[in-house]
Protein backbone atom coordinates (compact mmCIF):
# COMPACT_ATOMS: atom_id res chain seq x y z
CA UNK A 1 0.00 0.00 0.00
CA UNK A 2 2.91 2.38 0.72
CA UNK A 3 4.35 1.89 -2.76
CA UNK A 4 0.90 2.40 -4.31
CA UNK A 5 0.56 5.68 -2.42
CA UNK A 6 3.98 6.80 -3.65
CA UNK A 7 3.00 5.95 -7.20
CA UNK A 8 -0.24 7.92 -7.05
CA UNK A 9 1.46 10.92 -5.43
CA UNK A 10 4.27 10.89 -7.97
CA UNK A 11 1.86 10.49 -10.88
CA UNK A 12 -0.32 13.45 -9.88
CA UNK A 13 2.74 15.62 -9.22
CA UNK A 14 4.08 14.73 -12.65
CA UNK A 15 0.69 15.46 -14.21
CA UNK A 16 0.62 18.89 -12.58
CA UNK A 17 4.16 19.48 -13.81
CA UNK A 18 3.16 18.57 -17.36
CA UNK A 19 0.19 20.95 -17.36
CA UNK A 20 2.23 23.77 -15.84
CA UNK A 21 5.05 23.28 -18.34
CA UNK A 22 2.59 23.38 -21.24
CA UNK A 23 0.99 26.61 -19.99
CA UNK A 24 4.37 28.24 -19.32
CA UNK A 25 5.56 27.32 -22.81
CA UNK A 26 2.57 28.90 -24.54
CA UNK A 27 2.05 32.09 -22.50
CA UNK A 28 4.10 35.20 -23.37
CA UNK A 29 4.82 36.24 -19.77
CA UNK A 30 8.49 35.30 -19.61
CA UNK A 31 9.65 38.92 -19.49
CA UNK A 32 7.53 41.90 -18.43
CA UNK A 33 8.44 45.60 -18.58
CA UNK A 34 10.05 46.97 -15.44
CA UNK A 35 8.38 49.96 -13.78
CA UNK A 36 11.40 51.73 -12.34
CA UNK A 37 12.66 55.33 -12.42
CA UNK A 38 10.97 57.50 -15.00
CA UNK A 39 9.20 54.43 -16.37
CA UNK A 40 7.19 53.89 -13.19
CA UNK A 41 4.06 55.40 -14.76
CA UNK A 42 3.52 54.27 -18.32
CA UNK A 43 0.56 53.77 -20.61
CA UNK A 44 2.06 50.70 -22.30
CA UNK A 45 3.29 47.43 -20.80
CA UNK A 46 5.16 44.96 -22.95
CA UNK A 47 5.54 41.22 -22.43
CA UNK A 48 7.84 38.76 -24.20
CA UNK A 49 7.60 35.00 -24.44
CA UNK A 50 9.02 32.14 -26.44
CA UNK A 51 6.65 32.52 -29.38
CA UNK A 52 5.29 36.08 -29.35
CA UNK A 53 5.59 39.58 -27.99
CA UNK A 54 2.52 41.31 -26.56
CA UNK A 55 1.65 44.88 -25.65
CA UNK A 56 -1.00 45.91 -23.13
CA UNK A 57 -2.23 49.50 -23.21
CA UNK A 58 -3.90 51.41 -20.40
CA UNK A 59 -7.03 51.71 -22.55
CA UNK A 60 -7.55 47.96 -22.24
CA UNK A 61 -6.26 46.99 -25.69
CA UNK A 62 -4.15 43.82 -25.78
CA UNK A 63 -2.08 43.14 -28.90
CA UNK A 64 0.23 40.21 -29.65
CA UNK A 65 2.57 39.58 -32.55
CA UNK A 66 4.47 36.38 -33.24
CA UNK A 67 8.14 36.48 -34.14
CA UNK A 68 8.51 36.76 -37.90
CA UNK A 69 11.62 34.61 -38.40
CA UNK A 70 12.69 31.63 -36.34
CA UNK A 71 16.28 31.62 -37.62
CA UNK A 72 16.71 35.32 -36.80
CA UNK A 73 15.96 34.72 -33.11
CA UNK A 74 18.76 34.68 -30.53
CA UNK A 75 20.33 31.25 -29.95
CA UNK A 76 19.22 31.14 -26.31
CA UNK A 77 15.60 31.70 -27.32
CA UNK A 78 15.78 28.95 -29.93
CA UNK A 79 17.29 26.56 -27.39
CA UNK A 80 14.60 27.48 -24.84
CA UNK A 81 11.90 26.70 -27.37
CA UNK A 82 13.39 23.32 -28.20
CA UNK A 83 13.92 22.30 -24.57
CA UNK A 84 10.41 23.29 -23.48
CA UNK A 85 8.79 21.45 -26.39
CA UNK A 86 10.84 18.32 -25.70
CA UNK A 87 9.91 18.56 -22.02
CA UNK A 88 6.20 18.70 -22.85
CA UNK A 89 6.48 15.71 -25.20
CA UNK A 90 8.37 13.66 -22.61
CA UNK A 91 5.81 14.58 -19.95
CA UNK A 92 2.93 13.37 -22.12
CA UNK A 93 4.82 10.14 -22.82
CA UNK A 94 5.56 9.76 -19.10
CA UNK A 95 1.86 10.05 -18.24
CA UNK A 96 1.01 7.26 -20.69
CA UNK A 97 3.83 4.97 -19.53
CA UNK A 98 3.22 5.53 -15.81
CA UNK A 99 -0.49 4.80 -16.26
CA UNK A 100 0.37 1.36 -17.62
CA UNK A 101 2.72 0.56 -14.76
CA UNK A 102 0.86 1.77 -11.68
CA UNK A 103 -0.70 -0.75 -9.30
CA UNK A 104 -4.12 0.90 -9.49
CA UNK A 105 -4.49 0.03 -13.19
CA UNK A 106 -5.36 -3.33 -14.73
CA UNK A 107 -2.75 -3.21 -17.48
CA UNK A 108 0.01 -5.85 -17.42
CA UNK A 109 -1.56 -7.69 -14.48
CA UNK A 110 -0.07 -11.00 -15.57
CA UNK A 111 3.50 -9.65 -15.38
CA UNK A 112 4.00 -7.76 -12.09
CA UNK A 113 7.78 -7.45 -12.55
CA UNK A 114 7.37 -5.86 -15.99
CA UNK A 115 4.58 -3.65 -14.63
CA UNK A 116 6.88 -2.35 -11.92
CA UNK A 117 9.64 -1.63 -14.44
CA UNK A 118 7.18 0.28 -16.64
CA UNK A 119 6.21 2.47 -13.67
CA UNK A 120 9.89 3.15 -13.02
CA UNK A 121 10.38 4.10 -16.67
CA UNK A 122 7.52 6.57 -16.39
CA UNK A 123 9.18 8.12 -13.35
CA UNK A 124 12.46 8.45 -15.24
CA UNK A 125 10.65 10.23 -18.08
CA UNK A 126 9.01 12.64 -15.62
CA UNK A 127 12.37 13.37 -14.04
CA UNK A 128 14.02 13.99 -17.42
CA UNK A 129 11.18 16.27 -18.53
CA UNK A 130 11.46 18.32 -15.34
CA UNK A 131 15.21 18.68 -15.74
CA UNK A 132 14.88 19.81 -19.37
CA UNK A 133 12.27 22.45 -18.51
CA UNK A 134 14.35 23.69 -15.59
CA UNK A 135 17.27 24.63 -17.89
CA UNK A 136 15.57 27.36 -20.01
CA UNK A 137 13.67 28.72 -17.00
CA UNK A 138 16.86 29.08 -14.96
CA UNK A 139 18.82 30.51 -17.88
CA UNK A 140 16.15 33.10 -18.71
CA UNK A 141 15.88 34.09 -15.05
CA UNK A 142 19.62 34.61 -14.87
CA UNK A 143 19.63 36.66 -18.07
CA UNK A 144 16.75 38.90 -16.93
CA UNK A 145 18.40 39.59 -13.58
CA UNK A 146 21.78 40.32 -15.16
CA UNK A 147 20.24 42.68 -17.72
CA UNK A 148 18.20 44.50 -15.07
CA UNK A 149 21.30 45.41 -13.05
CA UNK A 150 23.38 46.27 -16.09
CA UNK A 151 24.69 49.85 -15.68
CA UNK A 152 24.01 52.37 -18.41
CA UNK A 153 20.90 50.59 -19.68
CA UNK A 154 17.84 52.79 -20.04
CA UNK A 155 14.92 51.96 -17.75
CA UNK A 156 12.58 51.43 -20.70
CA UNK A 157 14.81 48.55 -21.88
CA UNK A 158 14.76 46.72 -18.56
CA UNK A 159 12.53 43.72 -17.91
CA UNK A 160 11.44 41.86 -14.83
CA UNK A 161 10.66 38.20 -14.20
CA UNK A 162 7.32 37.24 -15.70
CA UNK A 163 4.67 34.90 -14.32
CA UNK A 164 5.60 32.16 -16.80
CA UNK A 165 9.04 31.84 -15.22
CA UNK A 166 7.55 31.24 -11.78
CA UNK A 167 5.08 28.77 -13.24
CA UNK A 168 7.80 27.01 -15.20
CA UNK A 169 10.00 26.71 -12.12
CA UNK A 170 7.19 25.24 -10.01
CA UNK A 171 6.22 22.85 -12.81
CA UNK A 172 9.80 21.66 -13.22
CA UNK A 173 10.04 20.96 -9.48
CA UNK A 174 6.74 19.06 -9.57
CA UNK A 175 7.95 16.92 -12.45
CA UNK A 176 11.28 16.22 -10.74
CA UNK A 177 9.59 15.30 -7.45
CA UNK A 178 6.93 13.17 -9.16
CA UNK A 179 9.54 11.28 -11.17
CA UNK A 180 11.66 10.72 -8.06
CA UNK A 181 8.67 9.29 -6.17
CA UNK A 182 7.83 6.90 -9.01
CA UNK A 183 11.44 5.74 -9.20
CA UNK A 184 11.51 5.32 -5.41
CA UNK A 185 8.40 3.14 -5.47
CA UNK A 186 10.01 1.03 -8.21
CA UNK A 187 13.17 0.58 -6.13
CA UNK A 188 11.11 -0.45 -3.09
CA UNK A 189 9.15 -3.00 -5.12
CA UNK A 190 12.21 -4.41 -6.88
CA UNK A 191 13.11 -6.77 -4.03
CA UNK A 192 9.69 -6.99 -2.44
CA UNK A 193 6.45 -8.82 -3.06
CA UNK A 194 5.65 -7.14 -6.34
CA UNK A 195 9.09 -7.79 -7.77
CA UNK A 196 8.90 -11.60 -7.42
CA UNK A 197 5.21 -11.94 -8.16
CA UNK A 198 4.21 -13.04 -4.66
CA UNK A 199 1.44 -11.20 -2.93
CA UNK A 200 0.28 -9.38 -6.07
CA UNK A 201 -2.55 -8.78 -6.52
CA UNK A 202 -3.55 -11.01 -3.59
CA UNK A 203 -1.74 -13.39 -1.24
CA UNK A 204 -1.10 -16.89 -2.53
CA UNK A 205 -1.08 -15.78 -6.16
CA UNK A 206 1.78 -16.72 -8.42
CA UNK A 207 2.12 -15.03 -11.77
CA UNK A 208 2.02 -17.00 -15.01
CA UNK A 209 5.44 -18.22 -15.99
CA UNK A 210 6.61 -18.41 -12.38
CA UNK A 211 5.92 -22.13 -12.07
CA UNK A 212 2.36 -21.90 -10.83
CA UNK A 213 0.54 -21.40 -14.09
CA UNK A 214 -1.22 -18.31 -12.74
CA UNK A 215 -3.19 -20.34 -10.13
CA UNK A 216 -3.28 -20.17 -6.38
CA UNK A 217 -0.62 -22.33 -4.80
CA UNK A 218 -2.03 -22.24 -1.25
CA UNK A 219 -5.07 -24.15 -0.08
CA UNK A 220 -7.49 -22.95 2.56
CA UNK A 221 -9.89 -25.30 4.30
CA UNK A 222 -13.25 -24.16 5.58
CA UNK A 223 -14.55 -25.80 8.71
CA UNK A 224 -18.15 -25.58 9.79
CA UNK A 225 -18.32 -23.70 13.12
CA UNK A 226 -21.48 -25.59 14.07
CA UNK A 227 -19.57 -28.88 14.03
CA UNK A 228 -16.73 -27.45 16.14
CA UNK A 229 -18.89 -26.24 19.04
CA UNK A 230 -18.87 -28.57 21.99
CA UNK A 231 -15.77 -30.55 21.10
CA UNK A 232 -16.93 -34.01 22.24
CA UNK A 233 -20.41 -33.56 20.80
CA UNK A 234 -18.93 -32.83 17.41
CA UNK A 235 -16.76 -35.92 17.71
CA UNK A 236 -19.80 -37.99 18.68
CA UNK A 237 -21.72 -36.81 15.66
CA UNK A 238 -18.75 -37.65 13.45
CA UNK A 239 -18.60 -41.10 15.07
CA UNK A 240 -22.30 -41.58 14.44
CA UNK A 241 -21.86 -40.67 10.80
CA UNK A 242 -19.07 -43.19 10.45
CA UNK A 243 -21.21 -45.95 12.00
CA UNK A 244 -24.14 -45.18 9.77
CA UNK A 245 -21.90 -45.29 6.71
CA UNK A 246 -20.65 -48.68 7.88
CA UNK A 247 -17.38 -50.49 7.57
CA UNK A 248 -15.26 -47.90 9.33
CA UNK A 249 -13.41 -47.28 6.07
CA UNK A 250 -13.00 -44.27 3.81
CA UNK A 251 -13.86 -40.86 5.08
CA UNK A 252 -15.93 -41.94 8.07
CA UNK A 253 -13.39 -44.45 9.27
CA UNK A 254 -10.64 -41.89 9.09
CA UNK A 255 -12.69 -39.45 11.19
CA UNK A 256 -13.31 -42.14 13.84
CA UNK A 257 -9.75 -43.40 14.18
CA UNK A 258 -8.08 -40.00 13.91
CA UNK A 259 -8.33 -36.89 15.96
CA UNK A 260 -11.70 -35.35 16.58
CA UNK A 261 -11.53 -32.68 13.88
CA UNK A 262 -14.61 -31.45 12.13
CA UNK A 263 -14.80 -32.28 8.41
CA UNK A 264 -14.28 -29.45 5.95
CA UNK A 265 -13.71 -28.68 2.29
CA UNK A 266 -11.30 -26.60 0.26
CA UNK A 267 -12.81 -23.22 -0.67
CA UNK A 268 -10.21 -22.47 -3.31
CA UNK A 269 -11.06 -25.40 -5.54
CA UNK A 270 -7.39 -26.33 -5.94
CA UNK A 271 -5.84 -29.15 -3.95
Amino acid sequence: MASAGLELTGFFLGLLGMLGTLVATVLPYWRTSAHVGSNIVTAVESMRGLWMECVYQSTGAFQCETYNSMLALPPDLQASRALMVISVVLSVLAVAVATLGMQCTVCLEGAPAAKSRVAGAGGALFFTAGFLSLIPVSWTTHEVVQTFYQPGLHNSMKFELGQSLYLGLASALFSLLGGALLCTSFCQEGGGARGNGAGYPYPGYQAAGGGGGGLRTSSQTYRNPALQVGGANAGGRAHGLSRSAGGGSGYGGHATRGSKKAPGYDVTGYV
Side-chain angles (χ1 to χ4, degrees), residues 29-220:
Y29 300 103
W30 284 60
R31 296 178 176 90
T32 59
S33 359
H35 301 286
V36 291
S38 59
N39 199 37
I40 192 170
V41 178
T42 180
V44 178
E45 181 180 1
S46 61
M47 285 103 29
R48 293 181 181 178
L50 298 179
W51 311 95
M52 65 187 73
E53 182 177 0
C54 298
V55 174
Y56 176 76
Q57 300 179 1
S58 59
T59 57
F62 192 82
Q63 233 173 355
C64 291
E65 182 181 359
T66 58
Y67 300 121
N68 296 327
S69 175
M70 183 183 68
L71 298 179
L73 296 175
D76 58 340
L77 184 56
Q78 296 183 23
S80 298
R81 278 184 173 186
L83 289 175
M84 294 299 289
V85 169
I86 294 174
S87 176
V88 171
V89 172
L90 288 181
S91 296
V92 173
L93 185 61
V95 169
V97 173
T99 302
L100 296 177
M102 288 193 304
Q103 297 185 38
C104 58
T105 61
V106 296
C107 303
L108 302 176
E109 275 191 343
K115 189 178 179 71
S116 179
R117 287 193 293 267
V118 169
L125 289 175
F126 271 130
F127 193 87
T128 305
F131 180 74
L132 291 179
S133 64
L134 186 63
I135 294 175
V137 170
S138 302
W139 177 260
T140 305
T141 302
H142 171 75
E143 184 182 1
V144 170
V145 173
Q146 289 296 322
T147 305
F148 184 86
Y149 291 107
Q150 184 177 351
L153 186 65
H154 195 269
N155 293 330
S156 61
M157 302 296 296
K158 294 182 178 181
F159 288 89
E160 292 183 351
L161 304 178
Q163 294 89 337
S164 293
L165 291 178
Y166 296 106
L167 179 61
L169 178 61
S171 303
L173 295 179
F174 281 154
S175 296
L176 289 173
L177 183 57
L181 289 178
L182 282 172
C183 293
T184 302
S185 66
F186 164 70
C187 294
Q188 289 182 353
E189 295 159 3
R194 185 177 172 184
N196 54 26
Y200 181 83
Y202 43 77
Y205 177 86
Q206 187 172 2
L215 302 178
R216 292 193 185 189
T217 58
S218 62
S219 177
Q220 301 176 0

Side-chain angles (χ1 to χ4, degrees), residues 195-252:
N196 54 26
Y200 181 83
Y202 43 77
Y205 177 86
Q206 187 172 2
L215 302 178
R216 292 193 185 189
T217 58
S218 62
S219 177
Q220 301 176 0
T221 303
Y222 171 79
R223 301 191 181 278
N224 192 345
L227 298 179
Q228 298 181 12
V229 177
N233 295 334
R237 283 194 295 270
H239 182 68
L241 289 175
S242 64
R243 292 183 59 185
S244 62
S249 61
Y251 173 78

